[in-house]
């Protein structure tokens, strides 16, 4: 049920203080796709050469996608709700989601994803910043969900030459751009 009083036996990493696997409904949110590990390193690596942007941060592992990167918005909603409910216990201040739909939206997608909107709005209301990737469909007119929700901060990526390389080039829903090409980070053994 996602409660935090269960014994965590999936990781001895001191960076990860709690988590839940919503994709498989168990206490083992181990990354079996690879992208989550990469994003976690960008955020919180404390390696002396490849420091993350917040090297002292602790992480909560919320697995909402399966081993091929597919999932359900109900799991995304449940993960946001879990973080909101456990904000005080774990001092959760940011929810970062590097996921999105292949469909893009040129306007707010609030009416298409009302439960995700409600979950994110509740998190924001509790002082949690909710961030989502704008998507990789290379649309020049839209961004993917959940980044297209009005209460979520959307992020697009740029390449090394500062060209926009993700969805949303020029879209008014995009909140900001950040480097996103050839970033050195953590990686699972055997992940390419």
């Amino acid at each position: 049920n996602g409660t935090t009083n269960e014994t965590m036996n999936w990781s001895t990493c001191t960076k990860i203080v709690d988590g839940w696997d919503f994709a498989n409904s168990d206490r083992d949110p181990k990354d079996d796709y690879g992208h989550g590990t990469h994003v976690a390193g960008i955020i919180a690596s404390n390696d002396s050469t490849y420091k993350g942007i917040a090297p002292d941060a602790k992480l909560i592992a919320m697995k909402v996608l399966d081993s091929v990167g597919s999932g359900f918005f109900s799991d995304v909603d449940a993960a946001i709700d879990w973080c909101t409910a456990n904000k005080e216990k774990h001092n959760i201040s940011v929810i970062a989601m590097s996921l999105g739909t292949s469909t893009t939206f040129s306007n707010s997608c609030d009416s298409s994803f009302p439960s995700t909107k409600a979950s994110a709005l509740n998190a924001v209301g509790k002082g949690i910043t909710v961030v989502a990737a704008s998507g990789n469909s290379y649309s020049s007119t839209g961004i993917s969900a959940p980044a297209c929700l009005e209460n979520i901060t959307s992020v697009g990526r740029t390449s090394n030459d500062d060209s926009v390389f993700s969805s949303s080039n020029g879209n008014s829903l995009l909140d900001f751009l950040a480097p996103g090409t050839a970033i050195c980070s953590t990686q699972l053994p055997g992940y390419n």
Side-chain angles (χ1 to χ4, degrees):
N1 65 8
T3 60
T4 58
N5 60 355
E6 300 170 37
T7 303
M8 288 177 41
N9 60 7
W10 49 269
S11 175
T12 58
C13 178
T14 59
K15 281 275 185 197
I16 302 172
V17 297
D18 208 339
W20 186 258
D21 181 345
F22 291 93
N24 298 300
S25 298
D26 64 34
R27 190 81 178 130
D28 185 11
K30 185 175 181 181
D31 183 7
D32 55 8
Y33 184 66
H35 187 68
T37 301
H38 189 77
V39 171
I42 293 168
I43 294 169
S45 170
N46 57 7
D47 182 84
S48 60
T49 304
Y50 302 107
K51 279 201 187 308
I53 59 171
D56 295 326
K58 300 292 184 188
L59 301 173
I60 304 294
M62 295 280 107
K63 181 173 172 53
V64 298
L65 301 178
D66 63 21
S67 61
V68 295
S70 296
F72 301 96
F73 270 92
S74 58
D75 290 335
V76 173
D77 302 347
I80 295 170
D81 294 342
W82 188 100
C83 290
T84 304
N86 288 281
K87 175 193 175 6
E88 298 304 322
K89 178 179 182 178
H90 295 301
N91 192 28
I92 297 171
S93 59
V94 177
I95 296 172
M97 297 182 284
S98 186
L99 51 82
T101 57
S102 57
T103 302
T104 60
F105 299 82
S106 57
N107 296 304
S108 167
C109 62
D110 288 10
S111 62
S112 298
F113 302 95
S115 61
T116 307
K117 175 187 176 180
S119 292
L121 187 59
N122 188 36
V124 170
K126 301 285 185 183
I128 300 172
T129 300
V130 183
V131 179
S134 67
N136 290 326
S137 65
Y138 310 108
S139 169
S140 62
T141 59
I143 63 176
S144 66
C148 54
L149 292 167
E150 289 182 359
N151 49 341
I152 291 181
T153 302
S154 60
V155 182
R157 72 179 171 123
T158 61
S159 66
N160 290 344
D161 66 359
D162 290 331
S163 60
V164 176
F165 205 58
S166 59
S167 293
S168 65
N169 184 13
N171 183 278
S172 63
L173 293 175
L174 182 66
D175 292 308
F176 65 90
L177 294 166
T181 304
I183 304 294
C184 291
S185 185
T186 51
Q187 142 179 343
L188 292 172
Y191 177 75
N192 295 319

